Amino acid sequence: MEEIVLGIGITALAGALATVAGAAEDTESDIGSQGDPNSQVQLAPQMGYIHRIFNKAVSGEPPAYGAWCVIGAGVAWALMQINYNPALAIILGSVIAVFVQGIYCTSGYLGRIASLAKFQQPVYIDIIKSLTPVTMAHAFVAIFCTVAMCYLMASVLHHPFALPLLGLVWGIALGAAGSATGNPFYGKERQYQNQKFGAGVPISASGNIVRYAEAGQRSSLDNGWFTTKFAGPASGICFGLIVFLELWRTILFEELLNGWGAIIIGIILILVFTLIDRWVEKWGRRTYGPYTSEEASS
Amino acid sequence: MTVKMEASAGKLSEKTLMIYGIVVALVGIYLTQINGFTGVAVFSFFGGIGAIAALWWGSDTIKHLCSYGLGTGVPSAGMVAFGAGAIAMIAGTKFNLIIPFVGISLVPIVTLILAALIGAVIGYIANNIINMNIPVMIFSLTKLSIVGALTMLGFGAMCTGTFSFNGLVTGGLSLQMEPAAQAAANGAQMFTVTVIPEFAGSLIGGATLAVIFFLGAMALQHPFNACLGPNEQQDRTLMLALEVGFLSMIVVAVMSYAFLDIVSATIGLIVALIGWIYTYKQYIALSKRDAYEWLDAKPIKEVGGDQ
């Protein structure tokens, strides 16, 4: 019984860490402009829209966060092998991972923008100076929380995987959660706020992303203002729920039916979420219907 | 899928890059064998240099493969290279036989041949069974899987000081003593000492190889992924390959503190840091050369568009 109570406590703590990690990860990738919305940022100069948005061409978020978290967990593991205190080891591991992440960001921006010289897109060096530290700070929070969560799983819950492998698996999951949940807010909402509401993104508007603010010009930091409020919490809840429910079903139902209990509960959870998703989709379509132009609706 | 886009024709041809890449990678990995002869691990960092050479060559191969309209497939190419390379590398390390009269191990050569075979099979499946129909697919995946295998072998050798399978799965040895018998005469006790290898603290058992896998895969795909565009220049892309290679080497050097003595690990770290600072500066200079303009805190210069 005591073991289960401890397990539930760790589950709650890991879920909380994952929520923070998810929110930080998505905010980082939106300020840095990573993942699928970045294709529009890449396209903009080719369509004649010179911009001051960060263009962090590293790779998709899942492999990128898999890499950062596995570096953090790997270095933390190595330092713990030579008897560093786990807390210190995790912090140092995350610092080195963030260092690597920051360098990848700067080289990605410089490389992509320099290769767009044909379209007269200048390299705005102040973008690198002001935005890289911001993305690094968010990435540190995301990596530290994920590695700490993995350490809890490895040491307290006695997960059979070694710490770096856990970091890899959960890093990829973190990137996938942030990419799937958070990116629509940035790519489909924020980048196209200059289009008619609900109109979708017609081909003719490709690359015509929001580059000017109410007063002055926007950089990716302004996208962070928007996505921190909407995309970040959504990604946080998504990743937090994934981690919490995953651990919860394992802790409570692993003893049942020789371990099959946890698997059956997992399948039931998937079915429940599929039904909820379907219901939300049908409700959305019924309530808002297909897009009609203003003349037709009035 | 078979529309060929422009890939910058550089000064260095693909063949030249391949020869330099393979030779330097093999020589670097073989130089770590001096560790075994001398009994000190200070030569481990040569493995990292070999790995960087392989990455440098691989980033150019990715460029030629991905110029066939695989824009979003650039990171995937890095992953597939290391997936194929991982199998070859782990299998290859089992062949730790010393070639007579030459005194060098079979491991790197066998790894290279295995990687080429596995890469060719994967390339054949992708091209002829999944029907991707890219002319350079089979040869490119063969080369990329060699790059993946040699990079992992090089960084693995740098991290642990050896490239034999036993060295990669055994973290340390612990001694277990059990009282065996008591000699009757003077009461002296006898013990049986059993040597128990610790697998959890090793490169493969501790999953540190996963870190090397991802460090390598990111470093392999990043140069071309970051520099693609109409004004991509070969020297800038290759300089970025060296830069991310040394950056990966820094992380490997930090992790090697768990396996090597302090002096050897520090030598690796210093070499990596010096190499990284130099190549990063060079890369920024080359970006400045190729950029349309290099502006600090200046407004958008409109060239067209609606606004």
Side-chain angles (χ1 to χ4, degrees):
Chain A
M1 189 63 204
E2 224 170 84
E3 218 169 80
I4 290 185
V5 172
L6 178 73
I8 291 291
I10 296 295
T11 304
L13 188 56
L17 282 170
T19 309
V20 178
E25 189 275 343
D26 187 67
T27 310
E28 189 274 330
S29 77
D30 289 345
I31 293 177
S33 188
Q34 192 178 10
D36 55 286
N38 195 42
S39 60
Q40 292 293 321
V41 177
Q42 170 75 11
L43 187 64
Q46 306 185 27
M47 309 302 283
Y49 303 105
I50 302 300
H51 62 78
R52 280 171 51 87
I53 307 287
F54 207 100
N55 185 344
K56 190 176 77 175
V58 175
S59 70
E61 287 170 56
Y65 267 85
W68 315 148
C69 291
V70 80
I71 292 170
V75 172
W77 177 88
L79 294 177
M80 278 187 248
Q81 289 298 110
I82 45 174
N83 297 323
Y84 269 58
N85 178 305
L88 183 62
I90 294 172
I91 290 174
L92 287 176
S94 308
V95 166
I96 289 178
V98 158
F99 168 72
V100 174
Q101 184 260 358
I103 300 303
Y104 266 89
C105 289
T106 55
S107 55
Y109 177 80
L110 284 177
R112 280 276 169 107
I113 302 291
S115 290
L116 286 172
K118 191 179 176 186
F119 305 109
Q120 305 179 20
Q121 165 76 41
V123 169
Y124 291 105
I125 199 73
D126 59 307
I127 297 274
I128 290 189
K129 285 191 238 169
S130 58
L131 293 188
T132 311
V134 180
T135 65
M136 284 170 77
H138 283 91
F140 178 81
V141 175
I143 296 165
F144 174 77
C145 288
T146 310
V147 177
M149 180 188 94
C150 295
Y151 177 71
L152 284 178
M153 287 183 202
S155 64
V156 186
L157 300 182
H158 305 293
H159 199 285
F161 286 5
L163 183 62
L165 200 54
L166 278 175
L168 175 64
V169 171
W170 284 112
I172 292 177
L174 168 65
S179 180
T181 319
N183 279 2
F185 289 89
Y186 169 46
K188 289 167 191 68
E189 187 73 33
R190 178 61 167 177
Q191 280 183 339
Y192 286 102
Q193 280 186 321
N194 51 3
Q195 305 295 317
K196 274 185 183 160
F197 183 74
V201 182
I203 299 288
S204 60
S206 270
N208 186 9
I209 53 174
V210 173
R211 303 171 296 141
Y212 289 93
E214 292 80 353
Q217 301 176 347
R218 267 183 189 157
S219 74
S220 289
L221 207 54
D222 303 296
N223 292 343
W225 280 88
F226 180 85
T227 54
T228 319
K229 282 179 247 174
F230 300 102
S235 309
I237 287 179
C238 174
F239 189 54
L241 272 179
I242 291 173
V243 171
F244 179 82
L245 291 174
E246 159 67 23
L247 292 181
W248 173 82
R249 74 181 174 100
T250 316
I251 300 280
L252 282 192
F253 301 102
E254 204 178 16
E255 306 291 313
L256 228 63
L257 303 172
N258 282 335
W260 283 94
I263 295 171
I264 293 168
I265 295 292
I267 293 171
I268 293 174
L269 278 175
I270 291 172
L271 289 177
V272 167
F273 276 100
T274 311
L275 287 176
I276 294 175
D277 290 347
R278 182 71 188 145
W279 180 78
V280 169
E281 189 194 342
K282 283 188 83 169
W283 175 83
R285 284 182 189 279
R286 213 173 33 242
T287 316
Y288 299 106
Y291 175 71
T292 48
S293 59
E294 277 172 42
E295 299 86 66
S297 60
S298 59
Chain B
M1 288 299 271
T2 48
V3 182
K4 178 109 166 59
M5 296 194 313
E6 77 265 47
S8 68
K11 285 176 193 150
L12 294 169
S13 73
E14 257 187 291
K15 270 204 182 121
T16 323
L17 282 162
M18 182 166 116
I19 292 164
Y20 279 132
I22 290 188
V23 169
V24 177
L26 283 181
V27 169
I29 292 167
Y30 271 124
L31 282 176
T32 61
Q33 241 195 313
I34 306 178
N35 284 342
F37 304 142
T38 55
V40 285
V42 288
F43 301 97
S44 305
F45 75 91
F46 281 114
I49 304 283
I52 293 172
L55 288 171
W56 178 76
W57 159 46
S59 70
D60 198 70
T61 308
I62 281 208
K63 183 168 89 181
H64 287 280
L65 174 63
C66 293
S67 57
Y68 285 88
L70 293 174
T72 51
V74 183
S76 330
M79 297 294 157
V80 91
F82 274 74
I87 307 168
M89 176 255 177
I90 293 175
T93 52
K94 282 296 258 182
F95 293 83
N96 196 21
L97 306 167
I98 303 290
I99 306 171
F101 307 116
V102 193
I104 56 174
S105 167
L106 268 178
V107 171
I109 299 287
V110 173
T111 304
L112 191 147
I113 295 167
L114 279 178
L117 288 176
I118 295 172
V121 170
I122 292 178
Y124 178 79
I125 292 174
N127 217 28
N128 298 44
I129 298 178
I130 309 178
N131 275 330
M132 289 179 82
N133 289 329
I134 295 173
V136 295
M137 182 67 125
I138 297 178
F139 194 39
S140 290
L141 275 184
T142 308
K143 290 194 276 188
L144 284 177
S145 112
I146 295 174
V147 169
L150 290 183
T151 306
M152 286 169 80
L153 196 65
F155 278 146
M158 179 187 168
C159 208
T160 57
T162 172
F163 49 68
S164 73
F165 184 74
N166 288 338
L168 298 181
V169 294
T170 320
L173 300 171
S174 62
L175 299 178
Q176 191 184 36
M177 300 215 299
E178 278 170 15
Q182 196 147 15
N186 50 7
Q189 234 181 351
M190 288 180 53
F191 293 94
T192 35
V193 179
T194 333
V195 181
I196 304 169
E198 282 180 310
F199 297 112
S202 65
L203 187 85
I204 292 178
T208 321
L209 195 63
V211 186
I212 292 175
F213 183 107
F214 254 73
L215 277 174
M218 290 296 279
L220 178 59
Q221 58 84 14
H222 186 63
F224 180 60
N225 189 42
C227 291
L228 64 84
N231 295 84
E232 190 262 330
Q233 295 288 330
Q234 192 195 36
D235 55 350
R236 180 158 55 97
T237 309
L238 289 180
M239 187 55 77
L240 182 56
L242 291 179
E243 191 261 318
V244 285
F246 277 112
L247 187 62
S248 309
M249 193 174 162
I250 293 177
V251 180
V252 176
V254 172
M255 289 194 306
S256 70
Y257 277 100
F259 301 101
L260 302 177
D261 57 295
I262 261 190
V263 178
S264 315
T266 310
I267 290 176
L269 187 59
I270 290 171
V271 170
L273 275 173
I274 292 173
W276 173 72
I277 291 171
Y278 174 75
T279 48
Y280 193 49
K281 278 188 168 168
Q282 289 292 311
Y283 172 68
I284 290 180
L286 288 175
S287 300
K288 204 167 181 171
R289 181 200 68 187
D290 291 343
Y292 176 68
E293 265 184 295
W294 192 264
L295 302 175
D296 195 354
K298 291 284 187 296
I300 295 171
K301 290 187 165 181
E302 285 297 348
V303 293
D306 321 341
Q307 299 198 33

